[in-house]
């Protein structure tokens, strides 16, 4: 089984998919890598053009899609961005709300230091320029889950800007088919989260829970360098891994800690950009990719049929697999940005500008934070490839599953088996079992020590590899037995007795003269048959390689 | 009330590939913080009149009601009053974003110190359902109000 590379359940590679748009034929062969341009041969009948000045184009009529993402990541902190209320996922409604979060008159925002540090660290990890002075603004709009009627954000002068995020696309198994792509980061800003609304259409009311209101968010704005759903999903995945490695956010999309909005437009290369639509309500990477691809195709179809794209907000219906206009967001919003009058500018320092004798609690030193940055996923992958000689795909797979890398490293610690074999066992067997039963690494019935023990037995040739698989299956049942116990219980040990094995081989040779004759006739399949017979006779407890050697010696081949 | 001084340097909400920067200038006329909206151009008419389309837009945004011609008049006078700022020469002067600009922004340490006052907060609302605040459903858009304002402006 191939190493589970991030495929997100796509039916094969994106470019292999054929799009059906109004009867166009299949996309012509040569895809030039991940530029993902939808090509469509025009019909042989030239379409009558409204503008006589424009010659109808013959041949390939390419579309290019432009996708920009706005990602909101909930900062992992104890208290909220501007108040001392607790940050917690599930809690009784409105129990984690301070007076400021409820927007009671007379309350003022007080900035949380941890959130600033999280923003700076994320900015540094994403190669951004950290603005030593950043400002807070108010973004006004009316919605019941926004008690103040405005959201405090950092629109004009955010805390970090002009960075980039690199991610890998694997087009196949060969290392040569791995490409690195980069998406530029426009800015990273701190902002408040809004509360949660539960729509009760039956009683024509909305229930508001403000527990989430005021939690710190990192908004990461990506430049429109992406061109399809797969790229977007991979970029967001990499961002997720970075945020998790930094500890700034748990970035769990299912729990709403990471939200992505996509801005999608299509155009012909060389022409100005088309009208964009915004797609919201995407709560998993798979849906993100699906929604983007669907929207791109919808826009292409619409434009090719002579329609036009409205600048609107759409939501993704995951059951139908399509995007629909959101009724609530008709018309463009005018947010009436203004500076937040209650907050002075946020000033950050570095080693050179740090004021002397300053209270360390009140100043943030960017250089200090830079030194404290943990190893980022890309660096970890590099290190794994160097240290253990594994394929980049494998290192990607190890990092892709929570806790898997740690598991792998713990196994390595306790066994002398070569790393390639350990990688193989962890990624192919262990991970396979986990996925089959939909378990997380932390829920695995097999501990790293147990697996290490099994691998040691295998390494010592105490058991055969097929026996090892059997033992693993037993271990998976989680009945507390060690590998050694299982081996002795089920009598899976390889025969160590050379003499007994020789006798067995001799018996088999004597018992099957016909096969022996075939072997002597140099029939290549016959030797395998003989080995099989010996193995059966030994109840699968003999090493096939050893059997072969003995037989060959006996039959003086 | 539009705070003109503050709208000088605003950037539009981020559009893929189309970002508008407001053409500022304490000297020149302030173009609309052209946020790519369907908002009517807010360039002052020169005659100090505010068009009905603009009034309607303001009402929708700020949920105020310019019910009468007098209210619109008052708005126009207020705008004219603020226009006096143009008399000041601000060449080469950085805009003041906040009167607190030389103050230190206090950083709070990340401890939980508030919350657990659901009962108290819910007392503020006269309609509560099982510890949730109750609000009307979604956003109901205002009906078109342009025709309701007695307009003597030709636009």
């Amino acid at each position: 089984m191939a190493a589970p590379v991030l495929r997100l359940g796509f039916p094969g590679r994106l470019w292999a998919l054929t799009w059906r748009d109004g009867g166009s034929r299949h996309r012509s062969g040569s895809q030039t890598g991940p530029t993902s341009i939808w090509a469509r041969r025009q019909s042989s009948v030239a379409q009558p053009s409204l503008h006589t000045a424009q010659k109808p184009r013959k041949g390939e009529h390419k579309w290019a899609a432009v996708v920009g993402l706005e990602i909101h990541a909930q900062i992992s902190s104890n208290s909220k961005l501007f108040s001392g209320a607790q940050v917690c996922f599930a809690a009784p409604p409105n129990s984690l709300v301070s007076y400021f979060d409820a927007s009671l008159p007379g309350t003022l925002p007080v900035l949380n230091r941890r959130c600033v540090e999280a923003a700076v660290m994320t900015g540094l990890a994403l190669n951004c320029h950290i603005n030593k002075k950043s400002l807070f603004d108010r973004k006004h709009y009316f919605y019941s889950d926004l008690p103040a009627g405005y959201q405090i954000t950092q629109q004009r002068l955010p805390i970090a800007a002009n960075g980039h995020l690199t991610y890998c696309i694997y087009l196949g198994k060969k290392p040569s088919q791995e490409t690195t792509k980069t998406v530029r980061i426009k800015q990273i800003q701190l902002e408040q989260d809004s509360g949660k609304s539960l729509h009760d259409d039956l009683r024509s009311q909305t229930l508001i829970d403000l527990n989430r209101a005021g939690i710190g968010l990192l908004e990461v704005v990506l430049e429109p360098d992406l061109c399809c759903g797969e790229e977007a999903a991979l970029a967001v995945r990499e961002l997720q891994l970075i945020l998790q490695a930094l500890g700034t956010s748990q970035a769990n999309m299912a729990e709403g800690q990471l939200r992505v909005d996509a801005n999608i437009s299509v155009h012909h290369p060389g022409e100005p950009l088309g009208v964009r639509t915004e797609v919201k309500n995407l709560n998993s990477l798979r849906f993100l990719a699906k929604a983007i691809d669907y929207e791109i195709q919808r826009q292409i179809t619409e434009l090719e049929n002579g329609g036009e794209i409205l600048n609107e907000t759409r939501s993704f219906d995951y059951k139908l697999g399509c995007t629909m206009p959101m009724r609530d967001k008709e018309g463009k919003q005018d947010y009436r940005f203004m500076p937040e009058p209650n907050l002075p500018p946020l000033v950050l320092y570095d080693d050179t500008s740090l004021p002397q004798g300053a209270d360390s609690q009140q100043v943030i030193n960017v250089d200090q934070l830079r030194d404290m940055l943990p190893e980022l996923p890309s660096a970890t992958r590099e290190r794994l490839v160097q240290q253990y000689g594994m394929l980049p795909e494998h290192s990607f797979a190890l990092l892709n599953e929570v806790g898997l890398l740690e598991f792998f490293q713990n196994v390595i610690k306790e066994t002398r088996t070569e790393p390639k074999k350990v990688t193989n066992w962890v990624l192919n067997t262990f991970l396979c079992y986990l996925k089959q039963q939909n378990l997380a690494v932390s829920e695995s019935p097999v501990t790293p020590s147990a697996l290490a023990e099994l691998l040691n037995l295998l390494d010592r040739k105490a058991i055969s590899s097929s026996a090892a698989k059997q033992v693993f299956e037993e271990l998976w049942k989680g009945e507390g037995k060690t590998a050694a116990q299982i081996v002795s219980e089920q009598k899976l040990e390889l025969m160590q007795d050379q003499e007994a094995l020789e006798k067995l081989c001799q018996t088999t040779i004597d018992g099957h003269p016909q096969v022996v004759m075939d072997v002597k006739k140099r029939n290549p399949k016959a030797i395998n048959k003989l080995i099989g017979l010996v193995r059966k006779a030994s109840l699968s407890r003999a090493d096939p390689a050893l059997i072969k050697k003995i037989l060959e010696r006996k039959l003086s081949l | 009330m539009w705070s003109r001084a503050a709208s000088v340097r605003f950037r539009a909400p981020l559009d893929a590939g189309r970002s508008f920067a407001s053409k500022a200038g304490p000297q020149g006329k302030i173009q609309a913080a052209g946020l790519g909206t369907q908002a009517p151009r807010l360039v002052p008419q020169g005659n100090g009149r505010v068009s009905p389309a603009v009034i309607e837009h303001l009402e929708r945004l700020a949920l105020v009601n310019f019910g009468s011609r007098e209210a619109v008049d008052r708005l126009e006078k207020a705008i004219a009053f603020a226009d006096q700022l143009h008399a000041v020469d601000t060449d080469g002067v950085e805009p003041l974003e906040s009167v607190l600009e030389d103050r230190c922004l206090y950083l709070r340490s990340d401890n939980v110190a508030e919350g657990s006052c659901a009962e108290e907060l819910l007392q503020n609302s006269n309609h509560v359902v099982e510890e949730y605040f109750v609000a009307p459903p979604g956003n109901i858009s205002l009906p078109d109000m342009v025709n309701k304002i007695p307009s003597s402006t030709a636009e």
Side-chain angles (χ1 to χ4, degrees):
Chain A
M1 195 192 108
V5 177
L6 182 70
R7 287 290 181 222
L8 305 166
F10 288 130
R13 262 168 270 136
L14 184 67
W15 357 109
L17 289 175
T18 55
W19 292 103
R20 266 179 260 124
D21 57 335
S24 76
R25 293 198 261 121
H26 291 181
R27 222 171 327 122
S28 57
S30 54
Q31 275 304 328
T32 50
T35 39
S36 178
I37 294 180
W38 281 261
R40 175 179 177 277
R41 294 206 179 281
Q42 262 203 340
S43 60
S44 49
V45 177
Q47 314 257 0
S49 176
L50 285 171
H51 309 280
T52 46
Q54 209 181 47
K55 266 198 279 178
R57 275 178 243 181
K58 299 229 172 96
E60 301 267 312
H61 201 233
K62 290 186 166 54
W63 287 101
V66 173
V67 180
L69 298 179
E70 282 167 21
I71 302 164
H72 293 86
Q74 233 178 40
I75 300 177
S76 172
S77 61
N78 296 329
S79 56
K80 296 184 179 178
L81 183 57
F82 291 117
S83 75
Q86 191 187 9
V87 173
C88 181
F89 180 50
N94 292 308
S95 60
L96 306 174
V97 184
S98 70
Y99 291 169
F100 172 75
D101 303 322
S103 187
L104 297 189
T107 54
L108 293 172
V110 186
L111 184 56
N112 179 340
R113 187 197 162 83
R114 156 74 184 149
C115 294
V116 182
E117 288 175 350
V120 174
M121 281 173 60
T122 309
L124 290 170
L126 294 173
N127 310 292
C128 294
H129 170 252
I130 307 290
N131 287 322
K132 292 282 168 30
K133 175 168 137 174
S134 54
L135 307 167
F136 288 98
D137 302 313
R138 287 185 184 181
K139 175 175 171 178
H140 299 82
Y141 62 94
F142 288 109
Y143 206 71
S144 350
D145 60 18
L146 196 67
Y150 60 86
Q151 174 194 40
I152 301 182
T153 173
Q154 284 189 306
Q155 213 259 344
R156 274 177 303 153
L157 196 52
I159 194 166
N162 297 330
H164 57 90
L165 169 67
T166 32
Y167 59 100
C168 285
I169 295 197
Y170 296 98
L171 298 174
K173 292 238 194 62
K174 303 197 200 107
S176 57
Q177 291 174 306
E178 164 204 334
T179 33
T180 317
K181 299 212 81 181
T182 305
V183 54
R184 288 168 300 158
I185 293 176
K186 179 158 184 179
Q187 61 190 56
I188 297 179
Q189 60 199 45
L190 281 167
E191 55 181 40
Q192 286 176 306
D193 205 349
S194 64
K196 248 204 201 125
S197 5
L198 302 170
H199 297 286
D200 183 357
D201 294 322
L202 206 61
R203 288 180 205 83
S204 211
Q205 62 188 11
T206 303
L207 303 178
I208 310 289
D209 173 13
L210 295 177
N211 283 346
R212 202 183 70 178
I215 292 184
L217 289 181
L218 281 176
E219 175 166 350
V220 181
V221 184
L222 301 182
E223 297 275 17
D225 293 341
L226 302 163
C227 62
C228 65
E230 182 168 359
E231 284 193 2
L234 288 170
V236 173
R237 178 66 184 137
E238 187 64 18
L239 181 64
Q240 247 184 343
L241 291 172
I242 291 176
L243 290 172
Q244 286 166 350
L246 290 172
T248 45
S249 169
Q250 288 167 323
N252 185 336
M253 277 185 94
E255 287 184 10
Q257 289 157 345
L258 189 75
R259 289 165 239 157
V260 185
D261 299 332
N263 294 305
I264 303 156
S265 71
V266 297
H267 71 130
H268 296 299
E271 287 180 15
L273 296 174
V275 176
R276 66 166 181 81
T277 61
E278 187 179 357
V279 181
K280 292 174 107 76
N281 188 28
L282 301 162
N283 51 18
S284 83
L285 288 173
R286 229 178 72 232
F287 294 148
L288 170 67
K290 258 193 173 156
I292 290 176
D293 291 333
Y294 174 88
E295 181 62 18
I296 290 171
Q297 195 48 43
R298 183 193 76 90
Q299 291 196 5
I300 290 177
T301 312
E302 186 72 30
L303 289 173
E304 286 190 338
N305 292 338
E308 52 166 31
I309 308 294
L310 295 168
N311 181 356
E312 59 180 349
T313 308
R314 300 172 76 88
S315 89
F316 181 65
D317 184 330
Y318 56 89
K319 293 195 197 108
L320 299 173
C322 64
T323 60
M324 325 260 277
M326 277 174 90
R327 229 176 356 102
D328 235 353
K329 305 251 175 172
E330 279 157 11
K332 206 54 159 49
Q333 287 268 31
D334 183 353
Y335 293 116
R336 298 173 287 151
F337 286 98
M338 69 174 256
E340 168 59 57
N342 294 324
L343 292 170
L346 171 62
V347 178
L348 302 171
Y349 300 95
D350 55 27
D351 284 335
T352 51
S353 63
L354 201 62
Q356 283 187 338
D359 180 3
S360 64
Q361 167 60 14
Q362 286 304 311
V363 293
I364 292 191
N365 184 344
V366 174
D367 289 333
Q368 197 180 46
L369 289 173
R370 188 181 287 117
D371 293 335
M372 279 172 29
L373 282 180
E375 188 181 57
L376 295 178
S378 49
T380 310
R381 278 183 227 127
E382 249 320 293
R383 183 170 56 81
L384 289 175
V385 169
Q386 297 297 333
Q387 204 175 355
Y388 301 117
M390 63 172 75
L391 293 176
E393 278 208 352
H394 295 162
S395 69
F396 187 93
L398 277 178
L399 258 69
N400 208 27
E401 189 72 29
V402 175
L404 191 60
L405 180 62
E406 209 186 311
F407 188 93
F408 170 81
Q409 283 170 327
N410 287 339
V411 175
I412 289 265
K413 265 193 254 179
E414 299 187 30
T415 177
R416 279 177 306 130
T417 318
E418 58 167 0
K420 282 211 169 102
K421 288 217 175 111
V422 181
T423 313
N424 194 19
W425 269 88
V426 170
L427 287 179
N428 291 346
T429 315
F430 177 65
L431 194 59
C432 189
Y433 271 81
L434 278 181
K435 289 298 173 198
Q436 261 172 13
Q437 299 184 13
N438 205 14
L439 294 170
V441 173
S442 51
E443 299 167 325
S444 152
V446 175
T447 62
S449 318
L451 182 58
E453 197 196 335
L454 175 60
L455 290 176
N456 281 338
L457 287 174
L458 189 58
D459 196 41
R460 282 200 325 253
K461 298 214 189 292
I463 52 175
S464 68
S465 58
S466 52
K469 293 243 161 71
Q470 253 181 288
V471 175
F472 189 84
E473 173 119 17
E474 268 306 309
L475 280 175
W476 195 265
K477 290 189 190 151
E479 289 164 5
K481 300 190 205 141
T482 66
Q485 282 175 323
I486 297 173
V487 167
S488 63
E489 272 179 28
Q490 299 197 7
K491 302 208 195 309
L492 293 167
E493 316 94 345
L494 284 178
M495 289 176 75
Q496 301 296 342
D497 192 348
Q498 183 86 348
E499 247 188 63
L501 189 57
E502 298 233 356
K503 272 207 210 120
L504 201 58
C505 289
Q506 193 58 52
T507 334
T508 315
I509 289 174
D510 298 335
H512 296 88
Q514 184 60 38
V515 190
V516 174
M517 255 206 306
D518 286 336
V519 174
K520 292 221 166 131
K521 280 199 209 137
R522 308 286 167 172
N523 184 343
K525 291 200 192 129
I527 186 82
N528 289 339
K529 193 166 177 208
L530 204 56
I531 295 175
L533 285 168
V534 175
R535 280 192 68 199
K536 242 202 305 191
S538 75
L539 302 167
S540 287
R541 291 176 54 194
D543 181 14
L546 199 54
I547 298 174
K548 188 168 187 202
K549 256 206 304 218
I550 298 176
L551 287 173
E552 281 174 353
R553 196 175 10 99
K554 286 199 178 284
L555 299 174
S556 40
L557 284 171
Chain B
M1 175 65 202
W2 293 91
S3 54
R4 286 295 181 75
S7 71
V8 161
R9 288 271 167 85
F10 281 17
R11 293 202 154 275
L14 308 148
D15 286 5
R18 293 196 298 168
S19 72
F20 297 90
S22 71
K23 285 214 213 135
Q27 305 296 68
K29 288 268 186 260
I30 295 177
Q31 307 285 316
L35 302 161
T37 63
Q38 295 157 3
R41 304 304 308 277
L42 297 169
V43 177
Q45 303 303 308
N47 58 354
R49 294 300 204 187
V50 183
S51 72
V54 174
I55 295 290
E56 194 210 332
H57 184 65
L58 287 174
E59 289 187 334
R60 201 177 283 269
L61 286 183
L63 295 185
V64 296
N65 185 5
F66 290 99
S68 62
R69 183 66 235 170
E70 282 88 42
V72 179
D73 270 345
R74 217 174 298 132
L75 174 67
E76 287 167 354
K77 286 205 182 70
I79 294 174
F81 179 76
D83 273 345
Q84 291 175 90
L85 287 173
H86 288 165
V88 181
D89 179 11
T90 54
D91 264 342
V93 180
E94 282 292 308
L96 177 79
E97 288 108 7
S98 161
V99 293
L100 305 168
E101 66 175 8
D102 54 354
R103 297 283 211 101
C104 256
L105 178 54
Y106 179 77
L107 294 171
R108 184 177 56 82
S109 56
D110 189 24
N111 301 321
V112 176
E114 300 172 277
S116 302
C117 51
E119 225 179 273
E120 249 182 309
L121 292 174
L122 291 168
Q123 276 174 4
N124 277 333
S125 171
N126 68 352
H127 187 195
V128 159
V129 169
E130 278 181 41
E131 298 191 320
Y132 287 95
F133 292 102
V134 180
N139 261 355
I140 307 162
S141 28
L142 282 175
D144 219 338
M145 299 254 286
V146 179
N147 298 324
K148 294 205 182 153
I149 301 171
S151 69
S152 51
T153 56
E155 211 49 48

